[in-house]
Amino acid sequence: MILAVALFMERMDSTIISTSLPAIAADIGTSPIALKLAITTYLVSLAIFIPISGWVADRFGALKIFRLAILVFMIGSIGCAYSNSLEAFVLWRFVQGAGGSMMTPVSRLLLVRGTPRNELIDALAWLTIPALIGPIIGPPVGGFITTYLSWHWIFWINVPIGIFGILMVTKFLDPVEPREPKPLDFRGFFLSGIAFSAFTFGISVLSLPAVPLTYGYISIAVGIVSGMIYIWHTYRTPHPLLDPKLFRYPLFRMSIFAASNFRMGLGALPFLLPLMLQLQFGLTPLQSGLITFVTALGSMGSKFFASRTYNLFGFRNVLALTTLLSAVLLGANGFFSPETPVALIMFCLLVGGLLRSMAFSGVSAMTFADVPDDESGQATSINAVAQRISMAMGVALAGGALDLSSTIRGSTLDLTDFHIAFFVVAIVSALATVSFLRLPADAGETLIKRGGRKRRGLAAE
């Protein structure tokens, strides 16, 4: 539970900011669409630093790095609270992401190394619960703070939580001795960092107001070229940071690419929905948060029967159906208007959250279905990076659709633009269904319980 404090803080922060975007944008003198760069930057920072989290923990000691990660996250939070411009806010969100990139994987590492194997499943379950509670209370808490206090306090509250976490870690957790890790692929870290950050920044810039499109095109080109050089580099080094050779495993390859399409919708929803509810429906941040929190409530509910569902109906059937229905419900947001009953909106969000979580539980487990144990560490890193990049792509896609729609119509942003953006991200998410229908009937068979035995359990994302 001490380790879960950091996970709770990171997950709650990422959901609180979505509710408070309009207020932050108005205060620092920018538009809510431009402020999507702050969300994208945070996700990119996670994708850059997550691959080296395990190496850093082994090299310097997991407990030291965990405390340092909390401290960096707190510093980034303080910087965000003091920001008075888009540039400063984006910079400090990047610092926050650097801390968050170490907190989550290193907390899991500490748990695995400090827990007897026969108690590990229960321990991981306790660690996961705060991660699910954070997104549930994040929107209403963020809405209350923004409505009745100031958006600055959504970052200040991380300070006492972080201090409490550092004190509890120091008092109750035994130090973990450093280990001798494999040599760090410095060139790979440099190239992959440039590739991820430049590409994602580029696609965000293409839809940012008052930023020349040339910057976006150049950034995308730099990202693509860096990615190609990185792939070439991996075949010339014995220990690549992220090894593309893992894509030779069919289920791993399918899980990464299909889930990336599907996850783009997940990344777009927390960005689009609060903006639509506040800018077009006229709701306060608190009212918006009290509506959107049911999405996380649905996600939490699916964890109680996800394993049984996959055991009964198989991975191909469940993944195809849940991704299709999730995409339909995502597109349903494009039909909402201020006259739509709040109960209907919340029902669609609740069911959509349940179905998305069900799909992600299966995808997370299937990612490792045909990967040997000795390569599971690499698979974990690639999967974590793909998650963050695809969610950042979803935010960029949503923002681009909003801006393009309003530009074509030649008017300011209105409800029609949000409807179009929801339809676009829903179509992209639905592409995952086509991929999952192509899975063999026995896909993920090693993950399914047979006769009371469980060869590998479902993992929660």
Side-chain angles (χ1 to χ4, degrees):
M1 293 305 293
I2 293 171
L3 293 173
V5 169
L7 197 58
F8 169 81
M9 179 171 64
E10 195 265 337
R11 293 294 176 87
M12 187 174 72
D13 180 87
S14 63
T15 52
I16 279 181
I17 189 176
S18 297
T19 305
S20 307
L21 278 181
I24 299 173
D27 195 43
I28 66 177
T30 186
S31 72
I33 307 304
L35 203 59
K36 74 182 175 64
L37 184 60
I39 300 177
T40 301
T41 300
Y42 182 85
L43 294 170
V44 170
S45 182
L46 291 177
I48 291 173
F49 293 107
I50 279 177
I52 65 167
S53 59
W55 185 91
V56 172
D58 283 342
R59 176 66 178 81
F60 300 102
L63 204 62
K64 292 179 181 178
I65 296 302
F66 186 64
R67 283 195 296 253
L68 180 62
I70 297 177
L71 179 62
V72 171
F73 191 87
M74 288 167 51
I75 292 172
S77 299
I78 294 171
C80 287
Y82 276 115
S83 297
N84 56 8
S85 67
L86 175 63
E87 294 78 11
F89 193 76
V90 167
L91 171 64
W92 289 113
R93 283 292 286 174
F94 185 86
V95 174
Q96 264 195 314
S101 70
M102 297 289 171
M103 283 196 304
T104 301
V106 175
S107 66
R108 291 182 181 274
L109 185 63
L110 282 166
L111 191 70
V112 169
R113 291 180 179 174
T115 305
R117 287 294 180 266
N118 63 335
E119 299 176 6
L120 189 57
I121 294 177
D122 288 337
L124 285 170
W126 281 105
L127 184 69
T128 302
I129 289 175
L132 295 172
I133 294 176
I136 291 174
I137 70 172
V141 168
F144 178 85
I145 290 174
T146 305
T147 302
Y148 296 106
L149 298 174
S150 165
W151 65 264
H152 304 82
W153 285 97
I154 68 175
F155 297 104
W156 282 118
I157 62 174
N158 290 332
V159 176
I161 296 175
I163 292 174
F164 173 77
I166 292 175
L167 292 176
M168 292 298 99
V169 167
T170 303
K171 181 175 178 61
F172 291 106
L173 298 188
D174 295 328
V176 179
E177 292 299 324
R179 301 186 179 188
E180 190 62 37
K182 295 179 180 178
L184 179 62
D185 179 16
F186 283 102
R187 290 182 180 178
F189 175 59
F190 178 74
L191 289 169
S192 64
I194 292 178
F196 295 143
S197 58
F199 181 78
T200 308
F201 175 78
I203 61 174
S204 296
V205 163
L206 292 183
S207 62
L208 283 177
V211 177
L213 291 180
T214 305
Y215 291 178
Y217 294 132
I218 293 175
S219 185
I220 290 174
V222 169
I224 292 174
V225 171
S226 299
M228 294 173 64
I229 296 175
Y230 174 77
I231 293 174
W232 173 78
H233 162 78
T234 61
Y235 291 96
R236 299 171 61 85
T237 182
H239 304 293
L241 187 68
L242 300 171
D243 193 349
K245 289 192 273 301
L246 263 70
F247 287 101
R248 68 185 183 274
Y249 300 113
L251 293 183
F252 177 79
R253 182 173 63 248
M254 175 71 72
S255 298
I256 294 296
F257 289 117
S260 293
N261 283 335
F262 185 60
R263 199 176 282 111
M264 288 175 71
L266 179 66
L269 183 63
F271 169 72
L272 282 175
L273 189 57
L275 286 182
M276 185 174 75
L277 292 176
Q278 294 178 48
L279 298 182
Q280 305 302 321
F281 289 24
L283 302 183
T284 66
L286 177 59
Q287 291 170 327
S288 169
L290 289 174
I291 291 175
T292 58
F293 90 99
V294 298
T295 302
L297 198 63
S299 299
M300 189 173 182
S302 76
K303 303 302 179 185
F304 295 103
F305 54 87
S307 181
R308 181 178 300 177
T309 303
Y310 281 99
N311 291 338
L312 288 175
F313 302 106
F315 275 71
R316 183 181 65 180
N317 297 331
V318 176
L319 286 174
L321 183 61
T322 53
T323 52
L324 177 61
L325 294 178
S326 296
V328 170
L329 286 170
L330 183 61
N333 289 272
F335 295 101
F336 294 157
S337 70
E339 291 73 36
T340 305
V342 172
L344 177 60
I345 296 176
M346 295 181 72
F347 175 77
C348 291
L349 295 177
L350 179 71
V351 177
L354 188 150
L355 291 170
R356 278 191 298 275
S357 180
M358 176 79 72
F360 282 133
S361 292
V363 169
S364 297
M366 198 175 70
T367 301
F368 304 96
D370 56 354
V371 175
D373 288 338
D374 60 345
E375 295 184 276
S376 60
Q378 275 278 355
T380 300
S381 296
I382 293 175
N383 185 45
V385 170
Q387 288 179 21
R388 271 64 187 189
I389 291 295
S390 58
M391 291 182 71
M393 293 275 288
V395 175
L397 176 67
L402 284 176
D403 187 63
L404 182 61
S405 175
S406 62
T407 301
I408 291 175
R409 292 188 310 101
S411 66
T412 57
L413 199 66
D414 69 10
L415 188 58
T416 301
D417 303 314
F418 281 94
H419 288 172
I420 292 173
F422 273 117
F423 295 149
V424 169
V425 296
I427 291 171
V428 172
S429 292
L431 295 176
T433 303
V434 179
S435 298
F436 288 131
L437 283 173
R438 298 171 57 191
L439 287 170
D442 61 348
E445 186 70 19
T446 59
L447 305 169
I448 295 176
K449 294 180 181 179
R450 297 298 186 199
R453 296 184 62 191
K454 184 179 181 182
R455 297 178 61 181
R456 265 184 175 172
L458 288 174
E461 178 160 332

